[in-house]
Amino acid sequence: MNNIGLTAMISILAAGLTMAIGSIGPALGEGRAIAQALTALAQQPDEANTITRTLFVGLAFIESVAIYCFVISLILIFANPFWGYVVTKAGG
């Protein structure tokens, strides 16, 4: 296997692992945040507006981690910074 094929294989594997590992944490965090918000709403229904607003801000911050992982995966697949180096070293 040449260097170009090896780089492509490693890039695709790294992109997949980035999405797999990078999605586990936010998914668990969002589930826990929603469960805690529902518990808080059950205990204090008068504070629903405050709890809901705080929940949505927190979910946005949690989701940003998954979005960053997605962007890194897209960069590794479509705009890989290593391609230029590998192609020049392979003589292509």
Side-chain angles (χ1 to χ4, degrees):
M1 177 175 287
N2 58 8
N3 288 340
I4 296 173
L6 184 63
T7 302
M9 190 171 59
I10 290 173
S11 296
I12 292 170
L13 181 67
L17 286 174
T18 299
M19 281 308 300
I21 295 172
S23 298
I24 292 172
L28 294 174
E30 286 179 1
R32 182 163 169 86
I34 291 172
Q36 293 296 321
L38 289 175
T39 302
L41 284 172
Q43 292 175 356
Q44 298 176 357
D46 295 337
E47 296 296 323
N49 291 335
T50 305
I51 294 170
T52 305
R53 183 179 46 231
T54 306
L55 172 68
F56 286 139
V57 171
L59 288 176
F61 283 126
I62 294 170
E63 191 66 31
S64 67
V65 174
I67 292 171
Y68 290 145
C69 290
F70 180 65
V71 169
I72 289 171
S73 294
L74 289 177
I75 289 171
L76 283 174
I77 292 174
F78 295 112
N80 195 337
F82 300 112
W83 282 115
Y85 177 77
V86 171
V87 170
T88 55
K89 290 295 181 180

